[in-house]
Amino acid sequence: MAIKSIKRRSIKRSDSQPSTTMSPPLSQTSHGFDYRRVHIFISVFLLLGVLVLLGISSSMWIKFGSVDQSQESSKVTKGGGIEPQIYGIQVIKEFPHDPGAFTQGLLYVENDTLFESTGLYGQSSVRKVALKTGKVEAFQKMNSSYFGEGLTLLGQRLFQVTWLKKTGFIYDRNNLSRCRDFKCHPETAFFHQFKEFTHQMQDGWGLATDGKVLFGSDGTSTLYHIDPKTLKVIRQDVVKYNGQEVRFLNELEFIGGEVWANVFMTDCIARISREGGMVLGWILLPQLRKGLIAAGYDGIDVLNGIAWNNKDDRVYVTGKLWPKLYEIKLLPTNKFHSADVKRLCLQSS
């Protein structure tokens, strides 16, 4: 940390002596002792002490200033360990979402545009969606033998994985053609060309990227690091919370230096360190699904789908067959505790 120079103004003393008819200065007693000098001396001494301390501890300040902001999601316990912060949410905005979309992968690109991967045999697709209206602007219907899963964008390439297969697809986001061979709206374009690849995960569930590597999940507690050029696994981390494995990691998103993961069959999102797989925080969102059910949407499935607008730092979530997509804000909460996380978010098998 840079320390700015401090300039001291010189203190001038008058050469003239006060008249005997004048009262003595407030800084002097009747014994002629100058308290002003003592005050100045003490101030200078304290200032020098502060400067010395700052010089000694400058390296500590540099260290604190470089701490990854993702660590703000956790706090240090009395024993020196890391206690993940638990968050609730505030809904900032609601947007329409295709209630027929069995959402498996979701990401924000730019200009209020989303890309989405949907599942179910015979209904799986990759689509380009307008955020504000929910309108599908481009559509790739998949072969009925594939069940679409996680989706992410690296450069201009969309990577998608499929369920129960080690097969994935790469689409060129800019190579769109008008709807011809697929049963879709006449005005809708589709992703004309794609490449097929094979991955090394046990299954295909979620995908995300930090712009350098791909992060993948396969429904276990393993977070995979994948080389986007070779599609080979280069690292595996077991995700744990208080020593317990966090199973059923599903849809992924890379947000602010962390990997966020939906935990399948729960209303929980785990905030995971990309270095080692430690859970840094939890986001509990049960009110979203409960609110939809209370409003009469009985056919909805589980929470799934996280997207991040990194330019404006906005987070969006939705679920499978949900009619709405939500922009949310995280709120630290005392409503939920570690016992609630274990009950609501962790599954033993």
Side-chain angles (χ1 to χ4, degrees), residues 252-272:
L252 305 176
E253 183 65 77
F254 186 78
I255 299 179
E258 305 170 352
V259 179
W260 291 22
N262 281 285
V263 179
F264 182 54
M265 295 299 294
T266 76
D267 295 309
C268 305
I269 294 174
R271 298 175 61 173
I272 304 167

Side-chain angles (χ1 to χ4, degrees), residues 124-164:
S124 294
S125 68
V126 175
R127 49 182 69 184
K128 179 182 178 182
V129 182
L131 169 66
K132 293 183 178 180
T133 64
K135 180 181 178 181
V136 177
E137 298 179 339
F139 184 89
Q140 173 68 61
K141 181 176 174 62
M142 300 176 67
N143 186 290
S144 60
S145 64
Y146 290 109
F147 192 112
E149 284 281 349
L151 182 76
T152 194
L153 177 69
L154 181 58
Q156 301 303 313
R157 298 185 298 168
L158 287 161
F159 291 79
Q160 181 197 34
V161 289
T162 58
W163 187 45
L164 299 180

